[in-house]
Amino acid sequence: LKTNFFSDETSPLEAPMTKKKSKGADDDKMIETKSKSVSGKSQKQKKPVEKEVEKEVKSLKEEDLVQESATDSDYDGDNSPGSLHSDDFDSDIFDSEDDVTQGGTEDGDGESSEDELHDHEGSIDNEDDDESEQIDSDNNEEDGSDEGSERGEAVEESDSSEDEVAPRNTVGDVPLAWYEDEKHIGYDVAGKKITKKEKQDKLDSFLASMDDSKNWRKIYDEYNDEEVELTKEESKLIRRMLKGKAPHADFDPYAPYIDWFKWDDAIHPLSSAPEPKRRFIPSKWEAKIVVNYVRLIRMGVIKFDKPEEEPNVYLLWGDDSKSDQKSKHLTYIPPPKQKLPGHEESYNPSLEYIPTEEEKASYELMYEEDRPKFIPKRFTSLRSIPAYENALKESFERCLDLYLCPRVRKKRINIDPESLKPKLPSRKDLRPYPNSCYLEYKGHTGGVTSISTDSSGQWIASGSTDGSVRMWEVETGRCLKVWQFDEAIMCVAWNPLSRLPILAIAMGRDLFFLNTELGTDEEQEVVKEMLHSGNIPEPETSVAAIVTWLPDELHGGIKTRHFKNISSIDWHRKGDYLSTVMASGETRGVVLHQLSKKKTQRLPFKIRGLPVCTVFHPSLSYIFVATRKEVRVYNLLKTGVATKKLETGLREISSMAIHPGGDNLIVGSKEGRMCWFDMDLSSKPYKTLKNHPKDITNVAVHRSYPLFASCSEDSTAYVFHGMVYNDLNQNPLIVPLEILRGHSSKGGVLDCKFHPRQPWLFTAGADSIIKLYCH
């Protein structure tokens, strides 16, 4: 039941009763007369206090103030609602208390001030218990001694709260106005209806209340349809709250102050005064104290106890009684236990355990590791047992078991070796790729060192150690033209543009640009104009000592003479620039030739190491320069350091080829290993393939098919499937496809090149034969 007791509005509990009930006993009338005599004096004093208390008490719930008392009530069935109003306490009890306590402090006009009332609150509080006991005893003279015990029970029950004792009515927040026309007011916990009590008329209710001496303490609970009687303790709580005090008497409003703040480590000062200047310089008095301490320490007066170092030892196998020893190891392994002796180790075993002579003879025929280590014997007494002959040996083996036992428990995983192999697609699904020899180009008398195909794929040029350069027709194998030179041919390279049928040939220190006399008449005029030696400009001073441009009167072209032997050449994709590598040229080992202007220039950066070969980027202005240990990528439009450095981890690089996409690079070495670099992924090799037992002479990548190959001095050529996906999150797929054999073992395969349009592979061997492998 939630209601405000001392509100100005009339609550549902106060509706039936608007007047104060009179007390039925003579003692009550005497108290009322006494209170009325002093009411005029104290009424003015209590009004301001009463207003303050009523504001605090309005928030109280009736469940905290009332408790059912069915044992000590003399109520005889009257169900007229009673009311608990502040006037009951003021007129019956509190006025009498004020009369007693304030009797000696009245003024001449019969009124005492409010300040004097507060001064005497302590005496009033101390006398409350005695006066209330006197009033209760006067009101309960009719009941006798039995009512005293009932009051004690009521006091004990007053500790019950709303949380401990559930209300009898379980309708919740449903308004009781809905049950006005019903015979019940709700339902109990068991779900049964709670029937309404029969109401008496007002006259019978009035007479019953007059006869009941404790009617002033009764409150009608409309929610549960029953009357609740306030106990003595609850009335004391209300009395203290009306006076503006704490409900409980044991509450101390003037408790001593406890300073919870710790001032020892305070950072902020208590005062805001500025720091004096002496605080910013070292204190001389503190310096004297420190010097004094230093002197005492040096003299030995002050001695410091050195902390004893605890020995860092622990039991090797741990101790079962100490769990902390086990936690220091990764996993606790108990020491290996010895086998306990059985029946046959007894000094007097049973007869069935003793071997016969035949069994002992059979032990000698067995292998030493299969023989039983102990042969049981029988003795009549312990005195006759000799010393154990294997005691020292077994103790030594026991020490070995403890020493060799692993300290960490290893988990063994049974893995199928086949499951570790990568799931590669079938070779049938990766067709076409070259797998069989289709044509052989014969005509050279020495080993073929280099081959090159033109952009159309119709012609192929080859250079040999016999000093000849031959041009072949691919499909027929017919030799169209032969150029003869004095030195062994090192490299041949066809111009990548189809409108410029120019062939670059490197031998010794000379680089020749030859006209192949292919193409239309208009193309020939452009080539002749480009290879005309009459308009050769003067070289720059920085390049004059490296390269010299000269006319080639014998073959009708142009040649350049370098200061070192040429080891590799490579055309730019536009067909006007050509890079030349001189392995022994060190920092001047790489130069760029511009054929249209007949001009040579050095690279705008310093090369670190001995150069091996160079490759132009297929679409950007980058050049890849391979030294013996690493590959560096340079930007031709910017001068400075390399934009990227690829760490191969190889002993010595021999060749290099770039993927048409420009993001993947293949590097071959002289130790038979080949590295695939994914430059978007890392500067270290994505895959390292160990496929050749001897040096790799060259590597090649197809322009349109996902194929790349390598040739070696072991007379074989390996063909691989290398798919590069457009999705950057997907790594390249590398699958070995075929091993091409056919060249003689003398010298091996010196060069390999792919056909520009077909999945064909050309191989040049030291046996002076060029082979064409098709699918």
Side-chain angles (χ1 to χ4, degrees):
L1 178 62
K2 300 179 181 178
T3 181
N4 295 332
F5 283 101
F6 307 104
S7 61
D8 296 336
E9 299 178 1
T10 303
S11 63
L13 297 177
E14 296 176 327
M17 297 186 64
T18 58
K19 294 183 179 182
K20 176 184 173 182
K21 302 257 179 148
S22 61
K23 306 298 185 273
D26 297 336
D27 297 334
D28 297 336
K29 294 180 180 179
M30 181 181 64
I31 295 172
E32 184 177 359
T33 306
K34 185 179 178 180
S35 62
K36 288 180 179 179
S37 63
V38 294
S39 60
K41 301 176 182 180
S42 61
Q43 191 70 19
K44 295 181 180 180
Q45 300 172 2
K46 292 188 65 64
K47 284 183 179 179
V49 181
E50 205 175 310
K51 290 180 180 180
E52 296 178 1
V53 175
E54 284 178 0
K55 293 179 182 179
E56 298 179 1
V57 179
K58 281 183 180 181
S59 61
L60 294 177
K61 299 179 181 179
E62 185 176 356
E63 288 84 347
D64 300 330
L65 302 176
V66 300
Q67 179 183 4
E68 293 184 357
S69 177
T71 57
D72 56 346
S73 177
D74 295 338
Y75 180 63
D76 55 352
D78 186 12
N79 55 359
S80 62
S83 63
L84 178 63
H85 200 270
S86 61
D87 295 340
D88 297 336
F89 296 97
D90 294 342
S91 60
D92 295 343
I93 299 173
F94 299 112
D95 290 347
S96 61
E97 294 175 356
D98 296 340
D99 188 19
V100 174
T101 57
Q102 298 175 7
T105 60
E106 295 177 356
D107 297 334
D109 54 355
E111 294 180 359
S112 60
S113 62
E114 185 177 353
D115 297 335
E116 293 177 357
L117 176 63
H118 289 290
D119 293 339
H120 294 284
E121 280 183 357
S123 61
I124 293 172
D125 190 15
N126 297 331
E127 294 174 0
D128 282 343
D129 299 336
D130 298 337
E131 292 176 1
S132 60
E133 290 176 1
Q134 182 180 358
I135 295 170
D136 292 338
S137 62
D138 294 341
N139 293 338
N140 299 331
E141 285 179 357
E142 300 174 322
D143 300 338
S145 61
D146 296 336
E147 197 169 277
S149 61
E150 294 175 356
R151 186 182 298 107
E153 296 176 0
V155 172
E156 293 178 359
E157 295 177 356
S158 65
D159 293 334
S160 62
S161 62
E162 183 183 1
D163 296 333
E164 297 175 358
V165 180
R168 189 165 62 112
N169 196 354
T170 60
V171 293
D173 295 334
V174 176
L176 296 179
W178 295 2
Y179 292 93
E180 288 180 357
D181 299 334
E182 302 292 337
K183 294 181 181 181
H184 63 285
I185 61 171
Y187 303 89
D188 57 3
V189 179
K192 297 180 180 182
K193 295 180 179 180
I194 302 175
T195 57
K196 295 180 180 179
K197 294 181 181 180
E198 296 181 0
K199 294 185 178 180
Q200 294 181 349
D201 54 1
K202 293 185 178 181
L203 182 59
D204 293 340
S205 175
F206 175 72
L207 293 176
S209 62
M210 293 298 294
D211 296 338
D212 190 1
S213 62
K214 294 185 289 183
N215 182 63
W216 67 277
R217 290 196 303 180
K218 291 183 179 179
I219 298 175
Y220 175 67
D221 185 4
E222 187 181 7
Y223 187 74
N224 292 317
D225 194 16
E226 60 184 5
E227 281 193 355
V228 180
E229 182 178 354
L230 295 179
T231 61
K232 178 181 177 181
E233 298 297 331
E234 292 169 346
S235 63
K236 288 182 180 181
L237 294 177
I238 297 174
R239 192 181 306 122
R240 291 183 61 85
M241 286 189 292
L242 288 174
K243 291 183 180 181
K245 298 180 180 180
H248 297 281
D250 56 351
F251 175 75
D252 186 10
Y254 305 105
Y257 174 71
I258 299 175
D259 191 3
W260 299 102
F261 185 76
K262 296 181 179 179
W263 299 93
D264 299 337
D265 301 332
I267 301 175
H268 304 286
L270 295 178
S271 65
S272 59
E275 290 285 340
K277 292 184 177 180
R278 63 177 180 273
R279 299 283 179 88
F280 298 97
I281 59 176
S283 176
K284 61 180 182 179
W285 307 109
E286 293 180 357
K288 290 182 179 181
I289 294 173
V290 172
V291 170
N292 189 21
Y293 282 137
V294 172
R295 289 175 180 174
L296 294 176
I297 292 173
R298 291 177 178 176
M299 292 170 61
V301 178
I302 299 177
K303 296 181 180 180
F304 299 98
D305 296 334
K306 294 183 179 179
E308 296 182 359
E309 296 181 359
E310 297 182 358
N312 188 14
V313 296
Y314 59 90
L315 296 178
L316 182 64
W317 295 102
D319 191 0
D320 295 339
S321 62
K322 297 180 181 179
S323 60
D324 58 344
Q325 296 289 344
K326 300 180 182 179
S327 61
K328 292 182 180 179
H329 306 283
L330 296 178
T331 53
Y332 174 71
I333 302 177
K337 296 181 180 180
Q338 282 185 321
K339 182 182 177 182
L340 297 177
H343 293 288
E344 54 187 23
E345 279 83 3
S346 174
Y347 76 96
N348 191 10
S350 302
L351 295 176
E352 60 267 17
Y353 290 101
I354 299 175
T356 60
E357 296 296 333
E358 297 177 357
E359 292 177 350
K360 291 181 182 180
S362 64
Y363 294 159
E364 300 295 332
L365 300 176
M366 298 171 63
Y367 290 103
E368 185 176 358
E369 59 270 10
D370 296 336
R371 295 175 190 173
K373 296 182 180 180
F374 178 77
I375 299 176
K377 297 180 181 180
R378 193 170 187 179
F379 301 96
T380 56
S381 62
L382 287 172
R383 294 194 304 269
S384 59
I385 299 175
Y388 184 49
E389 55 183 3
N390 295 328
L392 185 61
K393 181 180 179 182
E394 289 186 358
S395 62
F396 176 72
E397 291 178 353
R398 170 66 176 168
C399 293
L400 287 180
D401 292 340
L402 295 175
Y403 169 68
L404 298 176
C405 180
R407 300 296 185 268
V408 179
R409 194 185 305 274
K410 293 184 179 180
K411 294 182 180 180
R412 292 187 178 182
I413 303 175
N414 296 326
I415 300 176
D416 185 13
E418 296 296 330
S419 63
L420 298 177
K421 296 181 180 179
K423 303 298 180 182
L424 299 178
S426 176
R427 293 192 301 171
K428 296 180 180 179
D429 301 334
L430 303 178
R431 292 176 179 175
Y433 59 87
N435 53 12
S436 60
C437 182
Y438 176 68
L439 276 178
E440 291 184 355
Y441 304 88
K442 297 182 179 179
H444 288 285
T445 58
V448 182
T449 56
S450 177
I451 55 177
S452 178
T453 58
D454 69 331
S455 59
S456 63
Q458 184 179 0
W459 309 99
I460 181 173
S462 62
S464 175
T465 55
D466 58 1
S468 63
V469 176
R470 295 175 179 266
M471 187 172 63
W472 312 81
E473 190 176 7
V474 173
E475 295 183 356
T476 61
R478 178 173 61 95
C479 182
L480 181 64
K481 198 169 185 179
V482 179
W483 293 273
Q484 188 65 39
F485 296 92
D486 298 335
E487 298 182 26
I489 307 299
M490 190 65 189
C491 297
V492 293
W494 212 297
N495 195 297
L497 297 181
S498 58
R499 66 176 182 272
L500 294 176
I502 299 175
L503 186 65
I505 302 169
M507 66 188 77
R509 297 189 303 167
D510 296 336
L511 175 64
F512 290 87
F513 296 97
L514 301 180
N515 184 7
T516 58
E517 299 180 357
L518 298 176
T520 62
D521 296 339
E522 296 177 356
E523 294 175 354
Q524 281 297 316
E525 291 179 2
V526 174
V527 171
K528 289 179 181 179
E529 179 66 24
M530 186 175 293
L531 298 180
H532 183 59
S533 61
N535 52 358
I536 297 177
E538 291 292 331
E540 298 179 0
T541 56
S542 60
V543 185
I546 302 175
V547 179
T548 304
W549 288 78
L550 300 173
D552 184 14
E553 299 177 356
L554 181 61
H555 303 93
I558 299 176
K559 70 176 181 179
T560 58
R561 179 157 294 177
H562 300 71
F563 77 107
K564 296 288 184 182
N565 291 336
I566 301 172
S567 61
S568 175
I569 58 175
D570 183 62
W571 282 98
H572 191 264
R573 66 180 184 278
K574 294 184 179 180
D576 192 19
Y577 291 92
L578 180 73
S579 66
T580 304
V581 178
M582 294 167 282
S584 58
E586 296 180 353
T587 57
R588 299 180 297 173
V590 179
V591 292
L592 298 179
H593 303 289
Q594 189 176 4
L595 184 59
S596 60
K597 297 182 179 181
K598 300 173 182 61
K599 179 181 179 182
T600 303
Q601 57 183 351
R602 295 175 57 184
L603 292 179
F605 38 78
K606 184 178 180 180
I607 300 174
R608 301 180 181 275
L610 298 177
V612 176
C613 58
T614 59
V615 173
F616 286 101
H617 194 279
S619 57
L620 301 176
S621 59
Y622 288 96
I623 186 172
F624 296 80
V625 179
T627 58
R628 290 188 176 183
K629 297 290 183 181
E630 56 195 13
V631 179
R632 296 178 185 268
V633 185
Y634 296 94
N635 190 350
L636 294 174
L637 301 180
K638 297 180 181 179
T639 60
V641 296
T643 59
K644 185 172 290 188
K645 176 183 175 182
L646 305 179
E647 300 176 1
T648 61
L650 303 175
R651 185 180 61 191
E652 185 177 353
I653 297 174
S654 62
S655 56
M656 181 174 53
I658 190 168
H659 192 269
D663 294 334
N664 295 269
L665 186 72
I666 301 173
V667 178
S669 69
K670 290 187 177 182
E671 53 192 291
R673 296 166 63 188
M674 184 169 54
C675 297
W676 177 292
F677 284 93
D678 188 353
M679 288 180 288
D680 290 336
L681 184 64
S682 174
S683 61
K684 294 184 179 181
Y686 165 66
K687 291 286 185 182
T688 301
L689 307 176
K690 176 66 177 176
N691 47 357
H692 293 282
K694 294 184 178 181
D695 298 352
I696 294 177
T697 55
N698 196 18
V699 291
V701 181
H702 203 285
R703 296 182 185 177
S704 55
Y705 285 89
L707 297 172
F708 67 96
S710 64
C711 58
S712 173
E713 293 180 356
D714 59 357
S715 302
T716 60
Y718 281 66
V719 181
F720 298 87
H721 174 86
M723 174 60 74
V724 178
Y725 300 94
N726 294 328
D727 186 6
L728 296 178
N729 295 327
Q730 192 170 0
N731 295 329
L733 177 63
I734 301 174
V735 182
L737 295 177
E738 193 73 29
I739 301 176
L740 304 178
R741 297 180 177 91
H743 292 274
S744 64
S745 58
K746 181 181 179 181
V749 181
L750 302 181
D751 195 7
C752 64
K753 290 289 190 300
F754 276 103
H755 192 277
R757 297 181 181 179
Q758 299 294 333
W760 300 345
L761 180 67
F762 298 92
T763 59
D767 54 358
S768 69
I769 298 175
I770 303 171
K771 290 180 178 290
L772 170 61
Y773 291 91
C774 302
H775 59 284

